[in-house]
Amino acid sequence: MDIRLSQCFIAVDDHDRALGFYRDALGLEVRNDVRFEGLRWVTLGSPSQPDVEIVLEPPTGDPNASPADKQAMAELLAKGMLRGVIFSTDDCDATFERIQASGAEVLQEPTDMPYGVRDCAFRDPAGNLLRFAQRSGT
């Protein structure tokens, strides 16, 4: 049996601002942009990983979510309390410089970690934690 990652989801509160970050600052390509029942999903991916997609979705991707659930998700997103994503990079320092130049909120400058990576961290425009890791020796 072969199991591989196909898609992951990141909640965003403003798709246009998120596109400015994920497409323009990170260099991901837009693969799909869908609107349905007042909601929007944007699918992006790295050109070097054509079979893996990141879906930018509303904080509650369910059009039937209750107002209370929508409010709770919006509050968690605003606090940066939703799970983040870790990207791999072959040059942590260059990646850091590029993303920092976009104006993204820096959480951690490039640092050598005891578990064998050099990484840095940012928040996307919605407040999600994103880490960029380079394996030691690459």
Side-chain angles (χ1 to χ4, degrees):
M1 176 175 16
D2 183 26
I3 298 175
R4 296 180 295 146
L5 178 65
S6 173
Q7 295 178 325
C8 69
F9 293 79
I10 298 174
V12 299
D13 55 0
D14 182 325
H15 282 82
D16 292 326
R17 278 189 18 202
L19 275 171
F21 179 77
Y22 287 93
R23 180 193 59 214
D24 303 337
L26 299 188
L28 300 179
E29 62 186 14
V30 175
R31 298 186 180 158
N32 210 349
D33 191 338
V34 176
R35 294 171 194 263
F36 180 72
E37 293 188 15
L39 300 175
R40 183 179 181 191
W41 292 265
V42 177
T43 305
L44 305 107
S46 170
S48 66
Q49 288 183 298
D51 58 340
V52 177
E53 297 177 325
I54 297 170
V55 181
L56 304 178
E57 68 172 347
T60 54
D62 180 356
N64 299 312
S66 72
D69 288 345
K70 289 179 183 179
Q71 180 65 32
M73 287 299 293
E75 289 173 6
L76 289 172
L77 180 62
K79 292 178 183 179
M81 298 295 292
L82 301 180
R83 284 287 167 213
V85 175
I86 301 174
F87 291 89
S88 64
T89 179
D90 60 356
D91 188 336
C92 181
D93 294 278
T95 299
F96 177 83
E97 294 299 326
R98 177 180 174 173
I99 298 170
Q100 182 183 36
S102 78
E105 179 186 351
V106 175
L107 295 179
Q108 175 196 306
E109 293 189 7
T111 304
D112 292 320
M113 298 301 207
Y115 43 86
V117 301
R118 179 170 181 77
D119 78 351
C120 59
F122 293 89
R123 288 213 187 278
D124 75 1
N128 294 296
L129 170 65
L130 304 177
R131 300 190 78 82
F132 298 86
Q134 174 185 349
R135 291 186 187 271
S136 295
T138 60

